């Protein structure tokens, strides 16, 4: 019964129409001894036997082949719970043989006996194709096909190949490809066919560029597959090839490849001119023989908005453009009428300036130098077209973000193929990507220039340390690719001939960092004028940075959604570092404190280099942490160096090594402080760095005893006249007789107030520096108060008079009490 192919227990579909869908199958139930128990109408329709004829009879007469052992094996398999399927021949009632797909189910019990469900389905006959149908299919197939003999001569080809190649069938048959289309591609293709015949391995989808007589003015891309042909004895009788015109697919792939390559090649820098030159270099010679890039002058300018907006109204009648980039297959770009940087107002006739703002790319497949428009509007360029054989042109307006930037023009001369409409698509895509790069560079250049200008305006233009210090500074802005940083430095004159030195660094880059730097520098000057010691000054500065951070956080929260507020808060932190040093030329003492900044470098007169062990302190903006001051006495002519971390960590990213090298450079004897400062920066940072660099040098001097006098003041009103007389003699000895009267009044008022209100001991000190300073110190910490006395008051005008007579006045606190001081300008 089952001498047909083996069964299978693979899972099969049981849904409607599936392999186990018995709704349309012939079905029968057969007992274990082969007797038909049930017979369906489907079985009657398939085999012609009615149920009354077969039920109760043996099923064996229905089988063409009878094999009891195979039947027993199938029955055992089904008793084990596994079904069986296969195809076998069966007999129709009229004696015909029918091939059916047969399925036997797992055994089951019915009526006390073991049974099997058997279903059958007539196997469908395979569809056969007649020779006429096959010949029509091959002849009219959209794929070009041909058969060549062992000598690679054409023996058959279809109509499609005849149309693709443009060579009539009668000219091809009996001839080789190299005889019909001589050239490198024909020889290459024949070589591939020889390889197929030699190896027997087909070659699939070989793509190449070629020409055809059907379209001789356009290069096409073809995809070809080669197969060996076998005869009845399995020997090769020839080769068959199929060819398909894939020009559109090839061009799309080439456009995508070139556009992607342009994206990685163009725009590597944030420089407008370099980006324009990269456009020209990219397109020559892979796309054009001569390329020019002209940009609007406003794009190259750092002033104003930098370009025309496409919807901002009518543009000027004639564009003001400059040649920003060009490249040619000929050395030196002899085709060019304008050179890099020259004015170039070229627009292909008859187009006007509207081409830049809202025009589409211009395609001129054939350039005619004798055209009246070219001769009238562009006579020089018409002559260049004629001289160098420029024969095809594409001009693409450069626009990005609704902004007109310029014009890029592609021309061909040595390449004999004219630009086609497909080339316009490629040119448009490349220029569109390049325009974004140019616009990014333009925007960055404008912002960077504004930031540098802002930063320069906020840094000190002239530094003066008076007679106490000789100062010099060098500042290098960051490499434009890194953006403007927030480094700053300052020299602040203080009372008592003292000088404050400060250097700081704001975290981040750009206008925000520069603006924050300006606010911190102003704050330091204000706090220094309040005579705060370094540690207290940094504490107040820390509070300011915290407030600035909070302001920035609130602004960002107002501009961002709720889900972004946490990220905005994190990004709003404004960190900064700072070092503040106060030098007193009378006592030769330095008081300093730092907030996360590198310590200063001291170079003694004998060349010894040291870095004071100054507590680092937290960076500004963290809040809640204390700063510590340290005081050191230094020798006269000691060199003090304050710097930012970009100087010592920029080149090798090793702070300790950089600080050691800085000390060695500053230890060299050089009386010219400016030259020493500039040389140290040049040696440590030979190339631009991504961070700002600042170096402030100060050589200390001492205010000797011949410029300082002081006296103990008795707590007696009668002592005022004596102090006034001593002060008069001192300033006359210094040659400042013109200040005698005002000095006497200032001394009288300050000493009188101290005797009347202060706590002894009281001292009077005069200093002759760049200004004449009068100081009265006492042990009281009570702050003086400037009053405006009424006309009927007998007193209360002392400090008011001092303020009127002096250049400036103030008070500072010391460990012992306070000092009231007043300065006068020296004539």
């Amino acid at each position: 019964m089952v001498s047909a192919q083996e069964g299978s227990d693979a899972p099969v579909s049981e849904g409607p129409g599936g392999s186990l869908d018995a709704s349309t199958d012939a079905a029968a139930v057969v007992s274990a001894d082969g007797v038909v128990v049930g017979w369906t109408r489907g079985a009657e329709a398939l085999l012609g036997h009615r149920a009354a004829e077969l039920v109760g009879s043996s099923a064996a007469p229905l089988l063409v082949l009878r094999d009891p052992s195979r039947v027993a094996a199938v029955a055992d398999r089904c008793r084990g719970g596994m079904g069986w399927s296969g195809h076998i021949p069966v007999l129709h009632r009229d004696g015909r043989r029918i091939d059916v797909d047969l399925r036997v189910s797992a055994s089951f019990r019915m009526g006390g006996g073991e049974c099997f469900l058997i279903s059958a389905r007539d196997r469908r006959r395979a569809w056969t194709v007649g020779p006429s149908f096959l010949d029509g299919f091959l002849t009219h197939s959209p794929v070009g096909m041909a058969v060549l003999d062992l000598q690679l001569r054409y023996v058959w080809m279809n109509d499609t190949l005849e149309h693709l190649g443009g060579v009539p069938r009668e000219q091809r048959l009996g001839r080789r490809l190299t005889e019909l289309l001589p050239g490198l591609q024909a020889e290459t293709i024949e070589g591939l066919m020889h390889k197929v015949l030699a190896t027997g391995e087909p070659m699939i989808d070989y793509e190449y560029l070629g020409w055809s007589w059907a379209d001789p003015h356009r290069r096409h891309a073809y995809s070809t597959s080669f197969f060996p042909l076998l005869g009845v004895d399995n020997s090769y009788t020839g080769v068959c090839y199929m060819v398909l015109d894939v020009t559109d697919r090839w061009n799309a792939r080439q456009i995508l490849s070139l556009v992607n390559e342009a994206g990685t090649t163009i725009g590597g820098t944030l420089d407008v001119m370099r980006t324009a030159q990269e456009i020209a270099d990219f397109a020559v010679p892979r796309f054009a023989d001569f390329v020019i890039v002209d940009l609007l002058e406003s794009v190259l300018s750092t002033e104003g908005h930098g370009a025309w907006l496409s919807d901002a109204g009518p543009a000027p009648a004639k564009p003001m453009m400059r040649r920003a980039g060009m490249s040619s297959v000929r050395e030196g770009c002899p085709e060019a009428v304008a050179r890099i940087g020259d004015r170039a107002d070229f627009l292909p006739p008859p187009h006007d300036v509207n081409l830049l703002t809202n025009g589409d790319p211009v395609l001129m497949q054939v350039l005619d130098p004798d055209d009246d428009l070219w001769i009238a509007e562009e006579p020089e360029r018409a002559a260049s077209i004629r001289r160098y054989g420029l024969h095809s042109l594409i001009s693409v307006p450069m626009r990005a973000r609704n902004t007109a930037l310029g014009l890029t023009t592609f021309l061909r001369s040595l390449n004999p193929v004219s630009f086609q409409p497909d080339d316009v698509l490629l040119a448009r895509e490349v220029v569109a990507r390049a325009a974004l790069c140019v616009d990014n560079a333009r925007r960055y250049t404008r912002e960077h220039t504004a930031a540098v200008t802002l930063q320069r305006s906020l840094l000190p233009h002239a530094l003066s340390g008076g007679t106490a210090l000789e100062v010099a500074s060098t500042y290098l802005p960051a490499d434009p690719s890194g953006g403007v940083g927030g480094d700053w430095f300052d020299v602040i004159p203080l009372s008592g001939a003292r000088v404050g030195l400060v250097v700081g660094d704001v975290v981040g880059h750009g206008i925000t960092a520069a603006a924050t730097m300006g606010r911190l520098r102003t704050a330091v000057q204000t706090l220094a004028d309040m005579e705060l010691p370094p540690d207290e000054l940094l504490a107040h500065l820390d509070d300011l940075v915290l407030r600035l951070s909070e302001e920035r956080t609130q602004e960002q929260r107002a501009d961002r959604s709720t889900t972004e507020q946490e990220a905005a808060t994190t990004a709003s932190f404004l960190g900064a570092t700072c070092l503040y040093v106060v030098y007193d030329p009378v006592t030769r003492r330095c008081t300093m404190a730092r907030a996360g900044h590198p310590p200063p470098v001291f170079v003694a007169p004998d060349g010894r280099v040291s870095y004071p062990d100054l507590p680092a302190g937290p960076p500004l903006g963290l809040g809640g942490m204390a700063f510590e001051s340290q005081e050191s006495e230094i020798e006269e002519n000691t060199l003090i160096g304050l710097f930012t971390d970009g100087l010592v960590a920029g080149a090798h990213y090793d702070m300790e090594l950089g600080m050691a090298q800085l000390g060695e450079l500053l230890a060299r004897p050089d009386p010219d402080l400016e030259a020493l400062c500039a040389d140290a920066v040049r040696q440590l940072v030979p190339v631009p760095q991504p961070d700002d660099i600042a170096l402030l040098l100060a050589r200390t001097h001492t205010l000797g005893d011949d410029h300082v006098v002081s006296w103990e003041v008795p707590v007696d009103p009668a002592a005022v006249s004596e102090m006034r007389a001593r002060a008069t003699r001192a300033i006359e000895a210094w040659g400042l007789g013109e200040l005698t009267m005002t000095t006497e009044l200032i001394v009288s008022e300050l000493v009188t107030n101290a005797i009347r209100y202060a706590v002894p001991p009281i001292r009077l000190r005069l200093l002759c520096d760049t200004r004449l300073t009068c100081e009265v110190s006492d042990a009281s910490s009570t702050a003086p108060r400037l009053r405006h006395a009424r006309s009927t008051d007998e007193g209360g005008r002392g400090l008011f008079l001092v303020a009127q007579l002096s250049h400036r006045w103030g008070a500072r606190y010391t460990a012992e009490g306070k000092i009231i001081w007043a300065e006068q300008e020296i004539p």
Side-chain angles (χ1 to χ4, degrees), residues 293-608:
V293 182
D294 298 331
L295 298 179
L296 293 167
E297 285 192 341
S298 54
V299 174
L300 301 173
S301 172
T302 58
E303 301 178 357
H305 56 75
W308 297 334
L309 297 177
S310 299
D311 56 359
K318 197 71 172 175
M320 298 288 290
M321 295 193 293
R322 296 273 175 190
R323 181 63 44 83
M326 64 180 180
S327 183
S328 171
V329 293
R330 299 178 174 89
E331 186 176 356
C333 299
E335 308 97 325
V337 173
R339 314 311 294 181
I340 300 293
D342 292 346
R343 179 172 176 178
D345 52 3
F346 168 70
L347 291 172
H351 299 277
D352 57 20
V353 73
N354 290 323
L355 172 66
L356 300 180
T357 56
N358 49 33
D360 293 325
V362 176
L363 169 63
M364 295 184 177
Q365 291 182 286
V366 179
L367 280 178
D368 182 7
D370 297 323
D371 184 272
D372 293 339
L373 278 175
W374 280 90
I375 295 175
E377 297 184 18
E378 301 289 345
E380 290 184 85
R381 291 180 171 85
S384 178
I385 291 172
R386 184 181 301 105
R387 180 177 180 181
Y388 295 102
L390 302 173
H391 63 83
S392 191
L393 171 148
I394 297 177
S395 286
V396 183
M398 298 184 68
R399 291 190 291 268
R401 302 181 180 95
N402 200 33
T403 301
L405 303 172
L407 186 72
T408 299
T409 301
F410 307 88
L411 298 106
R412 283 181 177 172
S413 56
L414 300 183
N415 186 342
V417 183
S418 296
F419 286 119
Q420 302 297 321
D422 290 343
D423 296 320
V424 177
L425 177 61
L426 172 59
R428 183 201 293 266
E429 291 297 324
V430 170
V431 171
R433 292 204 175 192
L436 283 175
C437 298
V438 169
D439 192 50
N440 289 338
R442 173 186 70 88
R443 290 167 177 261
Y444 173 80
T445 301
R446 187 178 59 191
E447 180 176 341
H448 184 265
T449 302
V452 170
T453 302
L454 174 63
Q455 188 182 45
R456 293 288 188 183
S457 67
L458 295 174
L459 289 173
H461 299 286
L463 299 175
S464 176
T467 58
L469 295 175
E470 177 189 355
V471 295
S473 65
T474 297
Y475 172 78
L476 291 180
D479 183 348
S481 62
V484 174
D487 292 10
W488 94 93
F489 57 90
D490 210 347
V491 178
I492 307 172
L494 302 175
S495 63
R498 299 171 307 131
V499 179
L501 303 173
V502 62
V503 65
D505 185 1
V506 175
V507 174
H509 295 83
I511 291 181
T512 300
T516 303
M517 173 269 289
R519 298 177 74 172
L520 294 184
R521 177 173 176 254
T522 302
V524 170
Q525 290 179 334
T526 302
L527 295 171
D529 280 343
M530 296 171 62
E531 303 287 354
L532 295 177
D535 55 342
E536 293 186 24
L537 183 143
L538 292 181
H540 285 282
L541 202 61
D542 184 48
D543 292 338
L544 173 62
V545 175
L546 280 174
R547 288 197 299 273
L548 294 178
S549 297
E550 292 174 358
E551 292 176 4
R552 189 176 179 187
T553 299
Q554 293 172 357
E555 293 174 359
Q556 290 180 343
R557 284 179 174 173
D559 295 337
R560 299 188 181 210
S561 64
T562 304
T563 57
E564 296 175 319
Q565 286 184 6
E566 183 177 352
T569 303
T570 302
S572 67
F573 171 71
L574 287 175
T577 64
C578 184
L579 169 65
Y580 184 55
V581 177
V582 176
Y583 173 67
D584 188 337
V586 178
T587 62
R588 292 185 290 107
R589 300 191 70 82
C590 265
T591 307
M592 48 200 152
R594 62 183 178 132
H597 201 87
V601 56
F602 288 169
V603 181
D606 59 2
R608 288 180 293 108

Side-chain angles (χ1 to χ4, degrees), residues 62-76:
L62 300 176
L63 301 178
V64 175
L65 301 175
R66 296 175 179 86
D67 186 350
S69 62
R70 294 288 293 168
V71 171
V74 171
D76 290 340

Side-chain angles (χ1 to χ4, degrees), residues 467-770:
T467 58
L469 295 175
E470 177 189 355
V471 295
S473 65
T474 297
Y475 172 78
L476 291 180
D479 183 348
S481 62
V484 174
D487 292 10
W488 94 93
F489 57 90
D490 210 347
V491 178
I492 307 172
L494 302 175
S495 63
R498 299 171 307 131
V499 179
L501 303 173
V502 62
V503 65
D505 185 1
V506 175
V507 174
H509 295 83
I511 291 181
T512 300
T516 303
M517 173 269 289
R519 298 177 74 172
L520 294 184
R521 177 173 176 254
T522 302
V524 170
Q525 290 179 334
T526 302
L527 295 171
D529 280 343
M530 296 171 62
E531 303 287 354
L532 295 177
D535 55 342
E536 293 186 24
L537 183 143
L538 292 181
H540 285 282
L541 202 61
D542 184 48
D543 292 338
L544 173 62
V545 175
L546 280 174
R547 288 197 299 273
L548 294 178
S549 297
E550 292 174 358
E551 292 176 4
R552 189 176 179 187
T553 299
Q554 293 172 357
E555 293 174 359
Q556 290 180 343
R557 284 179 174 173
D559 295 337
R560 299 188 181 210
S561 64
T562 304
T563 57
E564 296 175 319
Q565 286 184 6
E566 183 177 352
T569 303
T570 302
S572 67
F573 171 71
L574 287 175
T577 64
C578 184
L579 169 65
Y580 184 55
V581 177
V582 176
Y583 173 67
D584 188 337
V586 178
T587 62
R588 292 185 290 107
R589 300 191 70 82
C590 265
T591 307
M592 48 200 152
R594 62 183 178 132
H597 201 87
V601 56
F602 288 169
V603 181
D606 59 2
R608 288 180 293 108
V609 178
S610 63
Y611 289 90
D613 187 15
L614 182 61
L620 300 174
L622 295 180
M625 302 177 71
F627 300 93
E628 298 182 39
S629 290
Q630 179 176 299
E631 191 172 74
S632 301
E633 185 174 340
I634 59 176
E635 301 178 61
E636 187 175 6
N637 292 323
T638 295
L639 185 65
I640 305 175
L642 288 76
F643 52 89
T644 55
D645 57 359
L647 178 66
V648 294
H652 34 63
Y653 301 100
D654 187 335
M655 181 79 74
E656 293 184 1
L657 177 60
M659 292 173 67
Q661 292 178 346
L662 174 62
E664 293 175 1
L665 292 171
L666 297 182
R668 297 179 304 179
D670 192 339
D672 189 344
L673 205 58
E674 292 282 356
L676 179 63
C677 186
D679 185 63
V681 172
R682 186 168 53 252
Q683 292 287 334
L684 287 172
V685 189
V687 296
Q689 297 294 327
D691 195 8
D692 288 9
I693 293 166
L695 175 62
L696 175 63
L697 297 183
R699 182 174 287 133
T700 65
H701 300 296
T702 302
L703 201 61
D705 293 340
D706 54 341
H707 287 79
V708 181
V709 292
S710 65
W711 305 278
E712 188 82 25
V713 178
V715 185
D716 182 357
V720 175
S721 59
E722 177 63 23
M723 294 300 106
R724 188 167 53 237
R726 291 182 179 182
T728 300
R729 289 194 295 269
I731 63 173
E732 288 177 349
W734 291 334
L736 303 177
E738 298 179 19
L739 302 179
T740 300
M741 182 177 295
T742 55
T743 303
E744 288 180 344
L745 289 172
I746 291 173
V747 168
S748 295
E749 294 299 334
L750 294 183
V751 171
T752 300
N753 281 345
I755 293 174
R756 183 176 298 173
Y757 303 111
V759 177
I762 302 172
R763 292 192 65 85
L764 170 64
R765 186 173 74 162
L766 297 180
L767 299 92
C768 182
D769 187 32
T770 53

